[in-house]
mmCIF file of all heavy atoms in Angstrom:
data_model
loop_
_atom_site.group_PDB
_atom_site.id
_atom_site.type_symbol
_atom_site.label_atom_id
_atom_site.label_comp_id
_atom_site.label_asym_id
_atom_site.label_seq_id
_atom_site.Cartn_x
_atom_site.Cartn_y
_atom_site.Cartn_z
ATOM 1 N N GLY A 1029 142.249 103.593 23.299
ATOM 2 C CA GLY A 1029 141.552 103.834 24.554
ATOM 3 C C GLY A 1029 141.248 102.568 25.329
ATOM 4 O O GLY A 1029 140.890 101.545 24.744
ATOM 5 N N ASP A 1030 141.372 102.639 26.644
ATOM 6 C CA ASP A 1030 141.094 101.490 27.514
ATOM 7 C C ASP A 1030 139.599 101.314 27.764
ATOM 8 O O ASP A 1030 139.005 100.286 27.442
ATOM 9 C CB ASP A 1030 141.804 101.669 28.860
ATOM 10 C CG ASP A 1030 143.060 100.816 28.943
ATOM 11 O OD1 ASP A 1030 143.086 99.773 28.290
ATOM 12 O OD2 ASP A 1030 143.987 101.210 29.650
ATOM 13 N N ASP A 1031 138.974 102.349 28.354
ATOM 14 C CA ASP A 1031 137.565 102.256 28.754
ATOM 15 C C ASP A 1031 136.653 101.970 27.579
ATOM 16 O O ASP A 1031 135.731 101.153 27.666
ATOM 17 C CB ASP A 1031 137.122 103.556 29.429
ATOM 18 C CG ASP A 1031 137.714 103.716 30.820
ATOM 19 O OD1 ASP A 1031 138.348 102.754 31.290
ATOM 20 O OD2 ASP A 1031 137.552 104.789 31.413
ATOM 21 N N ILE A 1032 136.901 102.638 26.452
ATOM 22 C CA ILE A 1032 135.987 102.496 25.321
ATOM 23 C C ILE A 1032 136.056 101.092 24.729
ATOM 24 O O ILE A 1032 135.042 100.549 24.282
ATOM 25 C CB ILE A 1032 136.240 103.567 24.242
ATOM 26 C CG1 ILE A 1032 137.699 103.536 23.763
ATOM 27 C CG2 ILE A 1032 135.869 104.943 24.746
ATOM 28 C CD1 ILE A 1032 137.977 104.534 22.647
ATOM 29 N N LEU A 1033 137.233 100.483 24.747
ATOM 30 C CA LEU A 1033 137.338 99.121 24.226
ATOM 31 C C LEU A 1033 136.665 98.118 25.149
ATOM 32 O O LEU A 1033 136.097 97.128 24.689
ATOM 33 C CB LEU A 1033 138.795 98.754 24.008
ATOM 34 C CG LEU A 1033 139.471 99.431 22.813
ATOM 35 C CD1 LEU A 1033 140.928 99.010 22.709
ATOM 36 C CD2 LEU A 1033 138.749 99.126 21.511
ATOM 37 N N VAL A 1034 136.706 98.363 26.456
ATOM 38 C CA VAL A 1034 135.975 97.512 27.395
ATOM 39 C C VAL A 1034 134.489 97.550 27.062
ATOM 40 O O VAL A 1034 133.803 96.517 27.043
ATOM 41 C CB VAL A 1034 136.219 97.966 28.846
ATOM 42 C CG1 VAL A 1034 135.264 97.256 29.796
ATOM 43 C CG2 VAL A 1034 137.661 97.688 29.251
ATOM 44 N N ARG A 1035 133.977 98.733 26.783
ATOM 45 C CA ARG A 1035 132.567 98.880 26.424
ATOM 46 C C ARG A 1035 132.259 98.144 25.121
ATOM 47 O O ARG A 1035 131.214 97.493 24.981
ATOM 48 C CB ARG A 1035 132.230 100.371 26.302
ATOM 49 C CG ARG A 1035 130.751 100.661 26.137
ATOM 50 C CD ARG A 1035 130.444 102.119 26.391
ATOM 51 N NE ARG A 1035 130.945 103.002 25.348
ATOM 52 C CZ ARG A 1035 131.855 103.962 25.534
ATOM 53 N NH1 ARG A 1035 132.388 104.132 26.731
ATOM 54 N NH2 ARG A 1035 132.252 104.740 24.552
ATOM 55 N N GLY A 1036 133.174 98.240 24.155
ATOM 56 C CA GLY A 1036 132.967 97.563 22.889
ATOM 57 C C GLY A 1036 132.975 96.054 23.025
ATOM 58 O O GLY A 1036 132.151 95.355 22.422
ATOM 59 N N ARG A 1037 133.912 95.543 23.807
ATOM 60 C CA ARG A 1037 133.951 94.083 24.014
ATOM 61 C C ARG A 1037 132.658 93.588 24.637
ATOM 62 O O ARG A 1037 132.128 92.540 24.253
ATOM 63 C CB ARG A 1037 135.149 93.711 24.897
ATOM 64 C CG ARG A 1037 136.494 93.884 24.218
ATOM 65 C CD ARG A 1037 137.616 93.284 25.040
ATOM 66 N NE ARG A 1037 138.915 93.581 24.434
ATOM 67 C CZ ARG A 1037 139.708 94.569 24.809
ATOM 68 N NH1 ARG A 1037 139.341 95.352 25.817
ATOM 69 N NH2 ARG A 1037 140.850 94.783 24.199
ATOM 70 N N ARG A 1038 132.137 94.342 25.605
ATOM 71 C CA ARG A 1038 130.887 93.937 26.241
ATOM 72 C C ARG A 1038 129.744 93.948 25.229
ATOM 73 O O ARG A 1038 128.886 93.047 25.225
ATOM 74 C CB ARG A 1038 130.577 94.861 27.421
ATOM 75 C CG ARG A 1038 129.350 94.416 28.220
ATOM 76 C CD ARG A 1038 129.272 95.104 29.567
ATOM 77 N NE ARG A 1038 129.148 96.543 29.446
ATOM 78 C CZ ARG A 1038 130.079 97.417 29.804
ATOM 79 N NH1 ARG A 1038 131.240 96.987 30.296
ATOM 80 N NH2 ARG A 1038 129.875 98.711 29.673
ATOM 81 N N PHE A 1039 129.717 94.934 24.362
ATOM 82 C CA PHE A 1039 128.676 95.032 23.335
ATOM 83 C C PHE A 1039 128.651 93.777 22.469
ATOM 84 O O PHE A 1039 127.589 93.188 22.225
ATOM 85 C CB PHE A 1039 128.926 96.273 22.475
ATOM 86 C CG PHE A 1039 128.014 96.407 21.288
ATOM 87 C CD1 PHE A 1039 126.794 97.050 21.405
ATOM 88 C CD2 PHE A 1039 128.382 95.895 20.051
ATOM 89 C CE1 PHE A 1039 125.954 97.183 20.299
ATOM 90 C CE2 PHE A 1039 127.552 96.022 18.947
ATOM 91 C CZ PHE A 1039 126.331 96.667 19.076
ATOM 92 N N TYR A 1040 129.817 93.370 21.997
ATOM 93 C CA TYR A 1040 129.865 92.231 21.079
ATOM 94 C C TYR A 1040 129.719 90.897 21.808
ATOM 95 O O TYR A 1040 129.075 89.974 21.288
ATOM 96 C CB TYR A 1040 131.169 92.261 20.282
ATOM 97 C CG TYR A 1040 131.176 93.352 19.234
ATOM 98 C CD1 TYR A 1040 131.971 94.480 19.373
ATOM 99 C CD2 TYR A 1040 130.367 93.256 18.103
ATOM 100 C CE1 TYR A 1040 131.974 95.484 18.421
ATOM 101 C CE2 TYR A 1040 130.351 94.249 17.138
ATOM 102 C CZ TYR A 1040 131.160 95.365 17.306
ATOM 103 O OH TYR A 1040 131.145 96.352 16.359
ATOM 104 N N GLU A 1041 130.274 90.781 22.985
ATOM 105 C CA GLU A 1041 130.180 89.514 23.710
ATOM 106 C C GLU A 1041 128.776 89.237 24.213
ATOM 107 O O GLU A 1041 128.406 88.083 24.440
ATOM 108 C CB GLU A 1041 131.174 89.513 24.871
ATOM 109 C CG GLU A 1041 132.627 89.419 24.402
ATOM 110 C CD GLU A 1041 133.626 89.686 25.514
ATOM 111 O OE1 GLU A 1041 133.183 89.952 26.661
ATOM 112 O OE2 GLU A 1041 134.842 89.638 25.244
#
Side-chain angles (χ1 to χ4, degrees):
D1030 257 331
D1031 288 353
I1032 56 177
L1033 287 179
V1034 169
R1035 189 165 70 242
R1037 290 190 186 98
R1038 185 165 62 248
F1039 174 88
Y1040 287 109
E1041 289 169 0

